[in-house]
Amino acid sequence: MATLLTLLTLTSCTVGPGHTIHARQITATQPTPSAQPTPSASPSPTTKPVPGSLDWYVSQVPTFPEAPPPQPVPLPATGAAQFWHRLPTDQRVAFITIDDGGLARPPEVADFIWRAHIPVTMFLNSPAAEEHTDYFRQIQVAGGVVENHTINHTSLAGRSYDRQKQEICGAADKLETLFGKRATLFRPPFGEYDSTTLKAAHDCGAKAVFHWTETVHEGKVRYQTPEKVVQPGDVLLMHFRPALMDDLLAALKAIHRAGLTPALLEDYVR
Ligand SMILES: [Zn+2]
């Protein structure tokens, strides 16, 4: 994490709630061969990154069209959070979301997100966030945003309002303490929810509750919509699992194949 920490020192003051510091354009930063190699140059400028290394992952990231200026989707003023599978937008963007946090936390993820400027939303369970706060803070400083995925990762559908509120507000309170920002988005565990969930989420500070349109696991994108291609506003779901680096890369390639650009979900929900 030395690389990232150095960057943090230089730039942490510029990463604010507006998340405008990162250009949404994502560019692969391959090692630049020097124009005039000196006899003592080492390593050789023609050295390719070792497959599986952080440099290799960064080198594999496609170059995206610049994301359009976000046009946030208006939310109806009701007593319940809005529920969406995909964000209703025609803008040519898609969203990467990473869930849970307790199972695995590959060490190079924060540096990858930082170097490739990958916009990510993390739906965290608060105990994992509390136990591994530094890990998620590094991703936060790299541009990621922490959102709410309950305390205990239990299915909420059919539970009482009080029980659901306890899970959602309890996590929101803890995450706010740890990361300095109140969660504005919520994802119910297993995607299972009912109308009470949307009320409780609203009362805990969430504007919207998100399901997903694709899942990504072990480097493979699985489409849950008939088009079998990423659509504008789609939400890709992956988890903090051992293959997260591959999952991030697979998601980026799928978004690129669709002619879209990855963007930050929070910039589109106001
Ligand atoms: Zn989950």
Side-chain angles (χ1 to χ4, degrees):
M1 283 299 150
T3 307
L4 181 61
L5 289 173
T6 307
L7 292 167
L8 298 192
T9 311
L10 295 171
T11 60
S12 59
C13 59
T14 60
V15 179
H19 311 295
T20 51
I21 181 62
H22 283 294
R24 292 289 167 247
Q25 185 176 14
I26 294 187
T27 49
T29 53
Q30 297 201 10
T32 309
S34 66
Q36 292 178 316
T38 60
S40 61
S42 172
S44 158
T46 56
T47 299
K48 290 193 172 159
V50 178
S53 67
L54 174 60
D55 284 344
W56 180 84
Y57 278 102
V58 173
S59 76
Q60 297 300 301
V61 173
T63 300
F64 290 89
E66 191 162 355
Q71 295 170 357
V73 176
L75 293 161
T78 66
Q82 176 71 45
F83 177 85
W84 279 315
H85 281 87
R86 66 155 58 103
L87 189 81
T89 181
D90 294 329
Q91 293 202 277
R92 299 201 56 79
V93 292
F95 306 102
I96 294 174
T97 63
I98 316 173
D99 281 16
D100 299 352
L103 186 64
R105 290 158 304 281
E108 291 180 315
V109 165
D111 277 336
F112 187 30
I113 286 169
W114 173 268
R115 287 181 55 186
H117 295 189
I118 308 169
V120 300
T121 297
M122 299 174 273
F123 289 98
L124 300 182
N125 299 120
S126 55
E130 186 168 24
E131 190 174 348
H132 307 283
T133 307
D134 285 351
Y135 180 87
F136 299 112
R137 272 194 193 142
Q138 282 168 344
I139 297 176
Q140 182 186 32
V141 174
V145 178
V146 173
E147 301 289 4
N148 187 354
H149 195 45
T150 73
I151 302 173
N152 293 305
H153 207 278
T154 182
S155 177
L156 298 178
R159 303 288 184 93
S160 71
Y161 174 83
D162 285 348
R163 177 80 183 88
Q164 296 203 37
K165 193 175 174 201
Q166 183 188 357
E167 278 288 336
I168 300 171
C169 279
D173 293 346
K174 177 58 75 179
L175 294 171
E176 185 174 7
T177 302
L178 296 174
F179 300 101
K181 167 198 165 290
R182 187 74 177 178
T184 58
L185 306 179
F186 175 66
R187 175 170 278 152
F190 317 106
E192 295 172 359
Y193 75 103
D194 57 18
S195 59
T196 304
T197 311
L198 303 184
K199 272 201 207 76
H202 169 271
D203 294 348
C204 296
K207 299 172 182 172
V209 173
F210 273 95
H211 209 262
W212 56 87
T213 42
E214 287 86 15
T215 59
V216 192
H217 183 44
E218 296 186 339
K220 286 207 174 64
V221 177
R222 291 181 174 80
Y223 295 89
Q224 306 201 335
T225 55
E227 303 94 339
K228 304 293 179 202
V229 63
V230 181
Q231 302 289 314
D234 270 6
V235 179
L236 293 89
L237 162 68
M238 60 192 72
H239 292 83
F240 284 96
R241 286 179 180 153
L244 180 53
M245 297 286 280
D246 295 316
D247 294 345
L248 285 166
L249 190 55
L252 292 169
K253 287 181 173 178
I255 293 169
H256 183 258
R257 275 196 302 276
L260 305 177
T261 300
L264 189 66
L265 195 48
E266 284 77 2
D267 287 343
Y268 289 76
V269 182
R270 290 281 162 79

PDB file of all heavy atoms in Angstrom, residues 82-96:
ATOM      1  N   GLN A  82     -36.566   5.015  -3.018  1.00  0.00           N
ATOM      2  CA  GLN A  82     -36.819   4.524  -4.365  1.00  0.00           C
ATOM      3  C   GLN A  82     -36.101   3.186  -4.571  1.00  0.00           C
ATOM      4  O   GLN A  82     -34.953   3.031  -4.168  1.00  0.00           O
ATOM      5  CB  GLN A  82     -36.293   5.555  -5.363  1.00  0.00           C
ATOM      6  CG  GLN A  82     -36.392   5.152  -6.809  1.00  0.00           C
ATOM      7  CD  GLN A  82     -37.835   5.143  -7.310  1.00  0.00           C
ATOM      8  OE1 GLN A  82     -38.579   6.076  -7.034  1.00  0.00           O
ATOM      9  NE2 GLN A  82     -38.206   4.093  -8.013  1.00  0.00           N
ATOM     10  N   PHE A  83     -36.755   2.221  -5.214  1.00  0.00           N
ATOM     11  CA  PHE A  83     -36.099   0.942  -5.522  1.00  0.00           C
ATOM     12  C   PHE A  83     -35.799   0.862  -7.010  1.00  0.00           C
ATOM     13  O   PHE A  83     -36.663   1.135  -7.843  1.00  0.00           O
ATOM     14  CB  PHE A  83     -36.990  -0.240  -5.134  1.00  0.00           C
ATOM     15  CG  PHE A  83     -36.363  -1.557  -5.502  1.00  0.00           C
ATOM     16  CD1 PHE A  83     -35.457  -2.171  -4.654  1.00  0.00           C
ATOM     17  CD2 PHE A  83     -36.651  -2.172  -6.718  1.00  0.00           C
ATOM     18  CE1 PHE A  83     -34.839  -3.364  -5.012  1.00  0.00           C
ATOM     19  CE2 PHE A  83     -36.046  -3.365  -7.079  1.00  0.00           C
ATOM     20  CZ  PHE A  83     -35.143  -3.961  -6.230  1.00  0.00           C
ATOM     21  N   TRP A  84     -34.574   0.464  -7.334  1.00  0.00           N
ATOM     22  CA  TRP A  84     -34.184   0.340  -8.741  1.00  0.00           C
ATOM     23  C   TRP A  84     -33.346  -0.919  -8.972  1.00  0.00           C
ATOM     24  O   TRP A  84     -32.479  -1.248  -8.155  1.00  0.00           O
ATOM     25  CB  TRP A  84     -33.338   1.531  -9.182  1.00  0.00           C
ATOM     26  CG  TRP A  84     -34.091   2.770  -9.539  1.00  0.00           C
ATOM     27  CD1 TRP A  84     -35.209   2.872 -10.307  1.00  0.00           C
ATOM     28  CD2 TRP A  84     -33.765   4.116  -9.141  1.00  0.00           C
ATOM     29  NE1 TRP A  84     -35.591   4.195 -10.420  1.00  0.00           N
ATOM     30  CE2 TRP A  84     -34.720   4.972  -9.732  1.00  0.00           C
ATOM     31  CE3 TRP A  84     -32.736   4.665  -8.374  1.00  0.00           C
ATOM     32  CZ2 TRP A  84     -34.693   6.353  -9.564  1.00  0.00           C
ATOM     33  CZ3 TRP A  84     -32.712   6.037  -8.210  1.00  0.00           C
ATOM     34  CH2 TRP A  84     -33.682   6.867  -8.793  1.00  0.00           C
ATOM     35  N   HIS A  85     -33.581  -1.573 -10.104  1.00  0.00           N
ATOM     36  CA  HIS A  85     -32.636  -2.586 -10.598  1.00  0.00           C
ATOM     37  C   HIS A  85     -31.495  -1.905 -11.332  1.00  0.00           C
ATOM     38  O   HIS A  85     -30.335  -2.248 -11.169  1.00  0.00           O
ATOM     39  CB  HIS A  85     -33.329  -3.567 -11.550  1.00  0.00           C
ATOM     40  CG  HIS A  85     -34.116  -4.610 -10.838  1.00  0.00           C
ATOM     41  ND1 HIS A  85     -35.425  -4.429 -10.450  1.00  0.00           N
ATOM     42  CD2 HIS A  85     -33.772  -5.854 -10.437  1.00  0.00           C
ATOM     43  CE1 HIS A  85     -35.846  -5.521  -9.850  1.00  0.00           C
ATOM     44  NE2 HIS A  85     -34.876  -6.396  -9.829  1.00  0.00           N
ATOM     45  N   ARG A  86     -31.854  -0.972 -12.201  1.00  0.00           N
ATOM     46  CA  ARG A  86     -30.860  -0.151 -12.911  1.00  0.00           C
ATOM     47  C   ARG A  86     -31.304   1.290 -12.801  1.00  0.00           C
ATOM     48  O   ARG A  86     -32.485   1.567 -12.604  1.00  0.00           O
ATOM     49  CB  ARG A  86     -30.726  -0.576 -14.372  1.00  0.00           C
ATOM     50  CG  ARG A  86     -31.955  -0.327 -15.231  1.00  0.00           C
ATOM     51  CD  ARG A  86     -31.603  -0.185 -16.719  1.00  0.00           C
ATOM     52  NE  ARG A  86     -30.924  -1.311 -17.315  1.00  0.00           N
ATOM     53  CZ  ARG A  86     -31.517  -2.219 -18.119  1.00  0.00           C
ATOM     54  NH1 ARG A  86     -32.808  -2.152 -18.354  1.00  0.00           N
ATOM     55  NH2 ARG A  86     -30.810  -3.177 -18.647  1.00  0.00           N
ATOM     56  N   LEU A  87     -30.354   2.186 -12.874  1.00  0.00           N
ATOM     57  CA  LEU A  87     -30.708   3.596 -12.800  1.00  0.00           C
ATOM     58  C   LEU A  87     -31.430   3.990 -14.089  1.00  0.00           C
ATOM     59  O   LEU A  87     -30.924   3.723 -15.177  1.00  0.00           O
ATOM     60  CB  LEU A  87     -29.439   4.437 -12.638  1.00  0.00           C
ATOM     61  CG  LEU A  87     -29.722   5.906 -12.328  1.00  0.00           C
ATOM     62  CD1 LEU A  87     -30.018   6.084 -10.849  1.00  0.00           C
ATOM     63  CD2 LEU A  87     -28.549   6.774 -12.742  1.00  0.00           C
ATOM     64  N   PRO A  88     -32.598   4.612 -13.991  1.00  0.00           N
ATOM     65  CA  PRO A  88     -33.302   5.003 -15.207  1.00  0.00           C
ATOM     66  C   PRO A  88     -32.655   6.233 -15.849  1.00  0.00           C
ATOM     67  O   PRO A  88     -32.998   7.360 -15.526  1.00  0.00           O
ATOM     68  CB  PRO A  88     -34.718   5.310 -14.707  1.00  0.00           C
ATOM     69  CG  PRO A  88     -34.554   5.656 -13.263  1.00  0.00           C
ATOM     70  CD  PRO A  88     -33.336   4.931 -12.771  1.00  0.00           C
ATOM     71  N   THR A  89     -31.717   5.975 -16.723  1.00  0.00           N
ATOM     72  CA  THR A  89     -31.016   7.070 -17.409  1.00  0.00           C
ATOM     73  C   THR A  89     -30.687   6.636 -18.828  1.00  0.00           C
ATOM     74  O   THR A  89     -30.504   5.446 -19.083  1.00  0.00           O
ATOM     75  CB  THR A  89     -29.716   7.455 -16.673  1.00  0.00           C
ATOM     76  OG1 THR A  89     -29.092   8.528 -17.365  1.00  0.00           O
ATOM     77  CG2 THR A  89     -28.747   6.291 -16.608  1.00  0.00           C
ATOM     78  N   ASP A  90     -30.614   7.588 -19.714  1.00  0.00           N
ATOM     79  CA  ASP A  90     -30.144   7.327 -21.065  1.00  0.00           C
ATOM     80  C   ASP A  90     -28.673   7.683 -21.204  1.00  0.00           C
ATOM     81  O   ASP A  90     -28.082   7.509 -22.262  1.00  0.00           O
ATOM     82  CB  ASP A  90     -30.948   8.148 -22.089  1.00  0.00           C
ATOM     83  CG  ASP A  90     -32.397   7.707 -22.149  1.00  0.00           C
ATOM     84  OD1 ASP A  90     -32.649   6.508 -21.910  1.00  0.00           O
ATOM     85  OD2 ASP A  90     -33.267   8.547 -22.415  1.00  0.00           O
ATOM     86  N   GLN A  91     -28.105   8.200 -20.150  1.00  0.00           N
ATOM     87  CA  GLN A  91     -26.697   8.576 -20.233  1.00  0.00           C
ATOM     88  C   GLN A  91     -25.851   7.318 -20.387  1.00  0.00           C
ATOM     89  O   GLN A  91     -26.171   6.262 -19.833  1.00  0.00           O
ATOM     90  CB  GLN A  91     -26.300   9.361 -18.986  1.00  0.00           C
ATOM     91  CG  GLN A  91     -26.984  10.725 -18.906  1.00  0.00           C
ATOM     92  CD  GLN A  91     -26.208  11.673 -18.005  1.00  0.00           C
ATOM     93  OE1 GLN A  91     -26.360  11.637 -16.796  1.00  0.00           O
ATOM     94  NE2 GLN A  91     -25.376  12.504 -18.605  1.00  0.00           N
ATOM     95  N   ARG A  92     -24.762   7.440 -21.122  1.00  0.00           N
ATOM     96  CA  ARG A  92     -24.004   6.244 -21.514  1.00  0.00           C
ATOM     97  C   ARG A  92     -22.995   5.860 -20.442  1.00  0.00           C
ATOM     98  O   ARG A  92     -21.778   5.905 -20.646  1.00  0.00           O
ATOM     99  CB  ARG A  92     -23.368   6.479 -22.875  1.00  0.00           C
ATOM    100  CG  ARG A  92     -24.465   6.747 -23.936  1.00  0.00           C
ATOM    101  CD  ARG A  92     -24.025   6.511 -25.329  1.00  0.00           C
ATOM    102  NE  ARG A  92     -23.513   5.182 -25.559  1.00  0.00           N
ATOM    103  CZ  ARG A  92     -24.267   4.080 -25.736  1.00  0.00           C
ATOM    104  NH1 ARG A  92     -25.581   4.137 -25.642  1.00  0.00           N
ATOM    105  NH2 ARG A  92     -23.698   2.923 -25.974  1.00  0.00           N
ATOM    106  N   VAL A  93     -23.562   5.504 -19.293  1.00  0.00           N
ATOM    107  CA  VAL A  93     -22.744   5.124 -18.144  1.00  0.00           C
ATOM    108  C   VAL A  93     -23.294   3.850 -17.514  1.00  0.00           C
ATOM    109  O   VAL A  93     -24.466   3.509 -17.683  1.00  0.00           O
ATOM    110  CB  VAL A  93     -22.718   6.239 -17.079  1.00  0.00           C
ATOM    111  CG1 VAL A  93     -21.975   7.469 -17.589  1.00  0.00           C
ATOM    112  CG2 VAL A  93     -24.139   6.620 -16.655  1.00  0.00           C
ATOM    113  N   ALA A  94     -22.432   3.133 -16.811  1.00  0.00           N
ATOM    114  CA  ALA A  94     -22.838   1.985 -16.008  1.00  0.00           C
ATOM    115  C   ALA A  94     -22.068   2.047 -14.694  1.00  0.00           C
ATOM    116  O   ALA A  94     -21.089   2.801 -14.570  1.00  0.00           O
ATOM    117  CB  ALA A  94     -22.548   0.678 -16.745  1.00  0.00           C
ATOM    118  N   PHE A  95     -22.516   1.260 -13.726  1.00  0.00           N
ATOM    119  CA  PHE A  95     -22.048   1.441 -12.352  1.00  0.00           C
ATOM    120  C   PHE A  95     -21.506   0.134 -11.770  1.00  0.00           C
ATOM    121  O   PHE A  95     -22.134  -0.918 -11.908  1.00  0.00           O
ATOM    122  CB  PHE A  95     -23.194   1.970 -11.490  1.00  0.00           C
ATOM    123  CG  PHE A  95     -23.826   3.210 -12.058  1.00  0.00           C
ATOM    124  CD1 PHE A  95     -25.035   3.140 -12.730  1.00  0.00           C
ATOM    125  CD2 PHE A  95     -23.189   4.444 -11.969  1.00  0.00           C
ATOM    126  CE1 PHE A  95     -25.620   4.276 -13.278  1.00  0.00           C
ATOM    127  CE2 PHE A  95     -23.762   5.593 -12.510  1.00  0.00           C
ATOM    128  CZ  PHE A  95     -24.978   5.512 -13.162  1.00  0.00           C
ATOM    129  N   ILE A  96     -20.381   0.238 -11.102  1.00  0.00           N
ATOM    130  CA  ILE A  96     -19.760  -0.925 -10.460  1.00  0.00           C
ATOM    131  C   ILE A  96     -20.022  -0.852  -8.959  1.00  0.00           C
ATOM    132  O   ILE A  96     -19.744   0.180  -8.328  1.00  0.00           O
ATOM    133  CB  ILE A  96     -18.249  -0.958 -10.741  1.00  0.00           C
ATOM    134  CG1 ILE A  96     -18.001  -1.188 -12.240  1.00  0.00           C
ATOM    135  CG2 ILE A  96     -17.559  -2.027  -9.903  1.00  0.00           C
ATOM    136  CD1 ILE A  96     -16.530  -1.081 -12.642  1.00  0.00           C
TER     137      ILE A  96
END
